[in-house]
């Protein structure tokens, strides 16, 4: 009975600490002593698992969207990038880069139907990780746990702390890096924030510690059929998680925002870390899925060889009509909810990043592809048949005019005034596109097929490692086709490996200069990782794009039925016109979201982000 009571108390503790400011956390135990929790391996592990719960609370919404009552604001934070336009009349930048609004909605003290406690959950995850690391001497080896069991607890705590700080770095910038749970009666809590660069170095060090203690993977690979075992441990952090995260943060630190002087040492470190992570992945049965299985990364399979870090939620299965999923990404004509559904709008700018396949061999395999701009310049792109022969990922990632719907059988109609363009609360789709990446083809309308589907929420995957390495290697080497001494790939061969797996030919010769290849890497990253996690938000800021006209000026597609029957000029029977949508604002504050003012007010050394 005492054991069950103990678990109840631990659960209460997590709920209570999630509702506090980070400078106001309560004592870790109520009427439980440390011996009640930290001398038993099972209890220790159960306590550590609460860290996973806190991380899920803030990271899960990256892929499935945050929604708040009647406003249905969703897609945090990718609506702050030029890939996405929220469905309503106001711009995401104008509404949410605001101290009061952001604090109330995204940094609430507790989770409600309209509010999310991202800020407090981050600090709670860090506090649990620090407690696990601090109390490790209490877990005796071999009496209470084997050395391997103890090491794995420590490794998970190191990674959980690193991942949480990395997420905070993306949203808020550099933070004080606490390495022990704070007692406000003893410890100094009025501490300054670290710089972006200093925070990255701390995260990378934690990743090294995590990788030292953790296994390469928690599930077993079956070489006979290429499958992976699924156990209760799948989803726990591994050495692969740690090396992949180190690769990510060092790449961010080498980029323009943090590395204004373009110090080559930072690029070298980023390339080395990415090369090590990629080699480790390939040597431990991780890899890229092929074109035919691309959709399984996002739905249908709990685990594939490309998955590194998934967040499993609600028994891993959802229907099209699920609130978070459908209301974030899909139009009401698919979700079946015309009273509340909306679906985020994909900009024409994002659509234009998907290349045009301009040549094929006798078997129909792509042999050459170009950007929309270059294909048009060579007379190889018909803007009145804009969705023909695109990068195969386009057909998965975008809901576009003419995309098939299986049941009831029809095609999406995105003409002006069409039902598919209509959204809840009297709005119409503003751009002509929705997000298709997480759509399994099911529909919640009458006669539809609203089936239960597995949806792993993907935080890290192998494709990112290829992209990280290629970007860093291109900056380090004299030419993108040069293989660095310590690497297996060149920047060019890494990108080609990824493209070939997705059904694209090698990068065209016109893009193989260092400068042009940099553009293709960035384009490839935007396409491959579109609508996932924080990628487009973070990338646009670390590259310092957000004040450039190519970024701030966004476009839409208007589509009308051709009533003249002119199939020469309008071969699809529709008239397509790319038009200016709006100009996104630029303010200095748009690089990061505001820190809750309630904590700024408590600690004078803890400074608010610029522009607020």
């Amino acid at each position: 009975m005492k054991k069950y009571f103990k678990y109840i108390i631990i659960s209460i503790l997590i709920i209570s600490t999630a509702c506090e400011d980070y400078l106001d956390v309560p004592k870790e135990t109520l009427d439980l002593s440390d011996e009640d929790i930290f001398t038993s391996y099972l209890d220790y592990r159960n306590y550590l698992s609460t860290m996973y719960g806190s991380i899920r609370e803030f990271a899960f919404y990256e892929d499935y969207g945050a929604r708040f009552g009647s406003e249905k604001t969703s897609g945090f934070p990718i609506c702050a990038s030029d890939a996405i336009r929220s469905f309503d009349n106001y711009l995401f930048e104008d509404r949410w880069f605001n101290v009061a609004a952001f604090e109330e909605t995204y940094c609430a003290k507790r989770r409600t139907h309209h509010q999310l406690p991202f800020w407090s959950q981050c600090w709670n995850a860090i506090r649990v990780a620090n407690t696990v690391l601090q109390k490790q001497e209490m877990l005796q080896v071999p009496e209470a746990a084997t050395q391997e069991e103890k090491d794995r607890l420590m490794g998970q705590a190191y990674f959980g702390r690193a991942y949480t700080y990395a997420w905070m770095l993306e949203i808020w910038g550099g933070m004080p890096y606490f390495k022990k749970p704070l007692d406000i009666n003893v410890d100094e809590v009025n501490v300054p924030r670290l710089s972006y660069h200093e925070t990255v170095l701390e995260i990378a060090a934690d990743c090294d510690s995590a990788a030292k203690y953790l296994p390469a993977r928690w599930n077993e690979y079956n070489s006979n059929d290429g499958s992976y075992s699924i156990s209760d441990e799948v989803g726990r952090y591994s050495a692969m998680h740690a090396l992949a995260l180190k690769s990510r943060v060092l790449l961010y630190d080498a980029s323009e925002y943090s590395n204004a002087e373009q110090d080559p040492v930072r690029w070298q470190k980023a390339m080395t870390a990415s090369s090590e992570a990629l080699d480790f992945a390939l040597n431990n049965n991780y890899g890229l899925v092929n074109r035919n299985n691309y959709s399984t990364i996002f739905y249908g399979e709990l685990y594939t060889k490309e998955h590194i870090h998934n967040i499993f939620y609600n028994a891993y299965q959802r229907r099209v009509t699920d609130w978070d999923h459908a209301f974030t990404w899909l139009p009401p004509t698919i979700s079946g909810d015309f009273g509340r559904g909306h679906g985020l709008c994909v900009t024409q700018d994002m659509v234009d990043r998907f290349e045009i396949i301009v040549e094929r061999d006798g078997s129909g395999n792509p042999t050459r592809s170009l950007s929309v701009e270059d294909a048009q310049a060579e007379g190889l792109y018909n803007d009145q048949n804009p969705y023909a022969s695109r990068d195969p990922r386009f057909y998965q990632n975008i809901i576009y005019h003419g995309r098939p719907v299986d049941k009831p059988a029809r095609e999406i109609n995105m003409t002006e005034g069409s039902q598919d363009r209509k959204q809840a609360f009297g709005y119409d789709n503003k751009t002509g596109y929705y997000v298709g990446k997480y759509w399994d083809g099911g529909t919640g309308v009458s006669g539809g097929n609203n089936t239960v589907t597995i949806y792993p929420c993907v935080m890290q995957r192998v494709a990112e490692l290829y992209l990280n390495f290629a970007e860093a290697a291109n900056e380090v080497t004299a030419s993108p086709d040069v293989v660095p001494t310590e690497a297996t790939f060149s920047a060019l061969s890494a990108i080609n490996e990824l493209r070939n797996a997705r059904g694209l030919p090698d990068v065209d010769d016109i893009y193989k200069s260092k400068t042009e290849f940099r553009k293709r890497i960035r384009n490839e990253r935007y396409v491959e990782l579109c609508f996932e996690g924080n990628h487009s938000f973070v990338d646009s800021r670390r590259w310092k794009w957000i004040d450039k006209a190519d970024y701030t000026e966004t476009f839409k597609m208007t589509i009308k039925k051709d009533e003249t029957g002119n199939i020469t000029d309008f071969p699809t029977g529709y008239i397509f016109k790319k038009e200016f949508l709006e100009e996104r604002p630029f303010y200095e504050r748009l690089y990061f979201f505001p820190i809750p003012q309630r904590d700024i007010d408590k600690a004078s050394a803890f400074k608010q982000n610029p522009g607020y």
Side-chain angles (χ1 to χ4, degrees):
M1 184 67 186
K2 181 179 179 182
K3 179 179 288 189
Y4 293 115
F5 176 73
K6 187 189 307 180
Y7 295 155
I8 292 170
I9 292 298
I10 291 174
S11 299
I12 292 172
L13 282 167
I14 295 309
I15 294 170
S16 65
T17 55
C19 298
E20 299 292 331
D21 301 349
Y22 94 97
L23 296 177
D24 257 344
V25 287
K27 190 177 184 300
E28 199 65 51
T29 58
L30 298 177
D31 56 351
L32 294 176
S33 67
D34 288 346
E35 285 75 15
D36 287 321
I37 300 174
F38 301 112
T39 58
S40 159
Y41 171 71
L42 179 60
D43 294 341
Y44 214 131
R45 191 179 72 162
N46 286 338
Y47 179 80
L48 171 67
S49 294
T50 63
M51 178 188 71
Y52 283 82
S54 289
I55 290 173
R56 189 196 73 190
E57 278 294 293
F58 60 77
F60 168 75
Y61 288 96
E62 296 175 10
D63 275 3
Y64 288 105
R67 71 282 186 279
F68 309 107
S70 61
E71 292 183 13
K72 300 294 184 301
T73 301
S74 47
F76 171 83
I78 61 170
C79 280
S81 77
D82 70 339
I84 288 284
R85 177 57 162 87
S86 53
F87 80 105
D88 38 32
N89 285 334
Y90 63 81
L91 279 164
F92 192 89
E93 292 92 332
D94 289 332
R95 180 63 180 269
W96 296 111
F97 287 85
N98 172 284
V99 175
F102 189 75
E103 177 177 330
E104 178 183 359
T105 303
Y106 289 101
C107 303
K109 291 188 177 183
R110 56 185 54 82
R111 190 179 198 263
T112 72
H113 183 62
H114 303 280
Q115 297 168 310
L116 294 164
F118 289 167
W119 178 253
S120 59
Q121 289 288 8
C122 286
W123 290 112
N124 188 63
I126 289 167
R127 190 162 191 277
V128 172
N130 285 339
T131 302
V132 167
L133 295 170
Q134 183 188 62
K135 303 294 185 182
Q136 62 175 298
E137 294 305 320
M138 298 185 68
L139 188 64
Q140 296 298 309
V141 174
E143 291 82 358
T146 67
Q147 188 61 52
E148 181 181 76
E149 287 173 332
K150 184 173 180 177
D151 287 348
R152 289 183 174 188
L153 292 176
M154 299 309 111
Q156 291 173 76
Y158 276 118
F159 179 80
R161 184 169 71 185
Y163 187 80
T164 303
Y165 269 114
W167 196 87
M168 296 177 83
L169 183 78
E170 296 171 6
I171 303 301
W172 291 291
M175 287 287 155
Y177 211 92
F178 297 119
K179 296 184 179 179
K180 64 177 183 177
L182 296 184
D183 182 340
I184 61 174
N185 297 313
V186 177
D187 297 310
E188 173 59 54
V189 294
N190 186 20
V191 295
R193 298 169 62 183
L194 299 183
S195 70
Y196 192 103
H197 174 63
E198 290 168 335
T199 305
V200 165
L201 295 182
E202 294 284 3
I203 294 168
D206 270 353
C207 288
D208 286 338
S209 296
K212 180 175 65 175
Y213 287 120
L214 291 171
R217 63 182 331 119
W218 289 84
N219 56 353
E220 295 182 1
Y221 174 72
N222 186 332
S223 59
N224 292 325
D225 61 8
S227 65
Y228 296 84
S229 64
I230 302 298
S231 72
D232 291 340
E233 303 296 343
V234 173
R236 290 191 179 273
Y237 305 138
S238 68
M240 187 71 261
H241 287 73
L243 295 176
L245 183 62
K246 181 181 178 181
S247 162
R248 176 188 293 181
V249 297
L250 289 178
L251 178 72
Y252 290 175
D253 191 45
S255 305
E256 286 88 329
Y257 178 82
S258 180
N259 189 17
E261 302 300 320
Q262 287 296 280
D263 179 1
V265 173
R266 294 199 199 180
W267 281 113
Q268 179 67 46
K269 288 182 177 179
M271 186 197 72
T272 299
S274 298
S275 178
E276 290 174 352
L278 184 53
D279 286 347
F280 186 86
L282 299 179
N283 289 330
N284 285 281
N285 297 311
Y286 294 89
L288 298 169
V289 303
N290 62 34
R291 172 187 173 181
N292 294 332
N293 296 313
Y294 177 68
S295 66
T296 63
I297 301 171
F298 313 109
Y299 59 78
E301 294 288 342
L302 184 62
Y303 192 88
T304 72
K305 66 178 181 178
E306 187 155 333
H307 290 137
I308 296 173
H309 183 184
N310 297 350
I311 292 179
F312 304 136
Y313 185 66
N314 281 1
Y316 328 130
Q317 298 183 0
R318 311 173 81 83
R319 296 179 187 272
V320 161
T321 51
D322 177 83
W323 193 333
D324 294 328
H325 177 226
F327 292 178
T328 300
W329 305 120
L330 304 176
T333 50
I334 291 175
S335 70
D337 194 325
F338 292 86
R340 297 177 294 174
H342 54 82
L344 294 175
C345 312
V346 179
T347 63
Q348 185 64 43
D349 309 73
M350 182 64 233
V351 169
D352 284 347
R353 292 184 171 107
F354 291 88
E355 289 183 0
I356 310 296
I357 297 171
V358 297
E359 290 180 8
R360 298 178 184 270
D361 63 20
S363 300
N365 300 310
T367 56
R368 189 181 185 217
S369 64
L370 299 171
S371 69
V372 170
E373 181 181 18
D374 290 327
Q376 198 159 24
E378 293 191 25
L380 300 173
Y381 169 66
N382 183 355
D383 63 5
Q384 292 306 306
N385 192 11
Y387 311 135
S389 294
R390 300 301 288 260
D391 177 334
R393 291 170 293 190
F394 169 80
Y395 304 104
Q396 170 68 40
N397 287 304
I398 308 297
I399 294 176
Y400 57 93
H401 179 77
R403 178 165 171 170
V405 179
D406 291 337
K407 189 176 181 182
R410 67 181 186 90
E411 292 183 346
I412 293 289
N413 181 356
M414 294 300 288
T415 56
E416 298 297 300
S418 67
Q419 192 73 3
D420 285 326
R421 285 193 86 127
K422 293 188 181 302
Q423 299 171 301
F425 316 120
Y427 292 106
D428 279 357
N429 180 290
K430 295 181 179 299
T431 64
Y433 307 97
Y434 295 101
V435 174
K437 192 163 204 165
Y438 307 103
W439 181 35
D440 68 348
T443 56
V445 298
S446 177
N449 53 330
N450 189 27
T451 56
V452 174
T453 304
I454 293 172
Y455 281 100
C457 185
V458 185
M459 299 290 103
Q460 296 170 282
R461 58 187 177 96
V462 172
E464 184 189 347
L465 302 181
Y466 282 91
L467 293 163
N468 293 350
F469 171 78
E471 185 174 346
N474 188 55
E475 300 303 326
V476 169
T477 57
S479 173
D481 59 356
V482 173
V483 179
T485 304
E486 66 272 42
T488 307
F489 295 92
S490 67
L492 178 62
S493 63
I495 288 296
N496 284 340
E497 188 90 2
L498 175 60
R499 288 168 61 89
N500 294 166
R502 304 305 188 230
L504 280 173
D506 290 353
V507 172
D508 196 74
D509 288 343
I510 68 173
Y511 304 125
K512 289 184 180 177
S513 71
K514 191 181 185 78
T515 301
E516 288 300 314
F517 194 67
R518 181 186 298 121
K519 295 177 183 178
R520 296 324 297 163
I521 291 171
R522 293 180 175 186
N523 190 83
E524 194 70 34
R525 188 177 183 92
Y526 240 79
V527 167
E528 176 64 29
L529 302 176
C530 64
F531 321 128
E532 293 179 51
N534 296 348
H535 289 296
S536 59
F537 169 74
V538 176
D539 287 343
S540 62
R541 280 145 178 82
R542 68 182 177 89
W543 295 328
K544 301 197 76 171
W545 277 5
I546 65 173
D547 63 338
K548 306 296 190 294
D550 283 348
Y551 181 90
T552 58
E553 294 178 359
T554 53
F555 292 82
K556 64 180 180 179
M557 181 67 81
T558 59
I559 307 169
K560 298 180 180 178
K561 189 168 181 59
D562 172 38
E563 303 293 349
T564 68
N566 182 358
I567 60 173
T568 300
D569 292 336
F570 309 115
T572 68
Y574 293 90
I575 301 170
F576 295 87
K577 187 176 182 181
K578 178 179 174 178
E579 293 185 330
F580 179 77
L581 174 62
E582 62 198 351
E583 185 167 358
R584 304 182 83 107
F586 171 74
Y587 315 107
E588 187 65 25
R589 67 176 182 270
L590 296 182
Y591 281 100
F592 296 104
F593 288 94
I595 291 169
Q597 193 63 37
R598 61 180 183 261
D599 279 350
I600 298 293
D601 292 340
K602 292 175 184 176
S604 58
F606 192 73
K607 301 298 184 183
Q608 181 61 275
N609 281 326
Y612 295 101

